[in-house]
Amino acid sequence: SIEDSSTISSSETIATKEFDDENIVMTAAVISDPHVGFKDTKVDNNVTFKNTLNALKRLNGDKDFDVLLSAGDNTQNGTKDEVEQLMDIYKSTYDINKTPLFFCHGNHDTYWSGCMTTTGFYDAYGEDVYKNDFDQTAAKLGNRHMKVNGIHLVAVQMSTYQPGNNTFTPQTETWVKETLDAINLENPLQPVIV
């Protein structure tokens, strides 16, 4: 949960401000690596993903989160069928209009041979997932920017996934710089989740 940064003076930092549970601005569930579509004799990640979503909802007192964030590897093989499975599971637990999805792509989503492109994911997830994004062109490239209750969320698409040598395209580097500069001009003290 994140507090309202407008109550923090320029001489304070968010880290030194005492937490006020009466002034929560955003609640977020954060996950990583659901790998929807993976199944073997011991594990069915679709069941694990469903159980995770249900557990998160119970932990939040059966209330909706303001957003669900995923750090990537949402699918096992980056296929349209896996995205459809993921969305069916998600929509059976959460209302996408109340708890939007903010997914980053991982190597299992867009990097391996046979994976969809970022535009393929954009189409497969559908407009409900991206309707709050500021820049639809960037979203089709895997770069996302949306605002939830005044908090900016930014997702950046990697072009390679190599240990110690992950890279971005020049277009992504420019987009990230321009996006973060614009957010900073708006309010340099506001929290940004990248």
Side-chain angles (χ1 to χ4, degrees):
S1 296
I2 297 175
E3 292 183 78
D4 182 359
S5 64
S6 65
T7 62
I8 300 172
S9 73
S10 60
S11 63
E12 291 181 293
T13 65
I14 292 173
T16 61
K17 177 107 170 79
E18 186 175 321
F19 181 75
D20 177 4
D21 63 358
E22 298 297 319
N23 190 27
I24 295 173
V25 174
M26 181 179 81
T27 59
V30 182
I31 64 170
S32 178
D33 296 85
H35 287 274
V36 168
F38 177 81
K39 184 177 183 178
D40 67 15
T41 57
K42 296 180 182 178
V43 177
D44 182 340
N45 279 13
N46 293 27
V47 172
T48 303
F49 182 55
K50 174 75 172 164
N51 292 342
T52 299
L53 294 177
N54 285 326
L56 288 168
K57 192 153 196 158
R58 282 192 310 277
L59 287 170
N60 200 39
D62 287 324
K63 295 181 284 184
D64 293 311
F65 288 95
D66 294 315
V67 65
L68 175 76
L69 302 140
S70 178
D73 285 353
N74 304 301
T75 62
Q76 177 64 20
N77 299 301
T79 66
K80 183 177 180 183
D81 180 59
E82 290 171 344
V83 169
E84 290 169 353
Q85 292 171 48
L86 183 147
M87 291 306 294
D88 287 345
I89 294 166
Y90 189 77
K91 289 179 178 179
S92 73
T93 310
Y94 288 98
D95 179 343
I96 197 162
N97 294 308
K98 293 180 182 176
T99 304
L101 299 171
F102 192 76
F103 282 171
C104 300
H105 300 300
N107 60 327
H108 279 261
D109 300 312
T110 60
Y111 189 65
W112 305 124
S113 176
C115 290
M116 287 189 294
T117 64
T118 54
T119 302
F121 270 92
Y122 182 93
D123 294 339
Y125 278 125
E127 67 182 47
D128 281 349
V129 170
Y130 298 98
K131 69 182 176 188
N132 297 315
D133 282 61
F134 287 112
D135 184 341
Q136 297 299 311
T137 301
K140 289 178 183 177
L141 298 174
N143 298 313
R144 300 192 61 196
H145 175 210
M146 64 188 264
K147 199 172 184 180
V148 177
N149 299 349
I151 308 297
H152 288 271
L153 308 174
V154 176
V156 183
Q157 179 66 36
M158 302 299 298
S159 63
T160 61
Y161 295 87
Q162 303 299 322
N165 190 27
N166 294 315
T167 60
F168 307 107
T169 65
Q171 183 178 11
T172 291
E173 286 184 25
T174 299
W175 178 84
V176 170
K177 181 179 181 339
E178 290 173 354
T179 299
L180 294 176
D181 285 349
I183 292 168
N184 191 46
L185 280 174
E186 179 185 294
N187 176 357
L189 295 177
Q190 68 188 329
V192 179
I193 298 171
V194 180

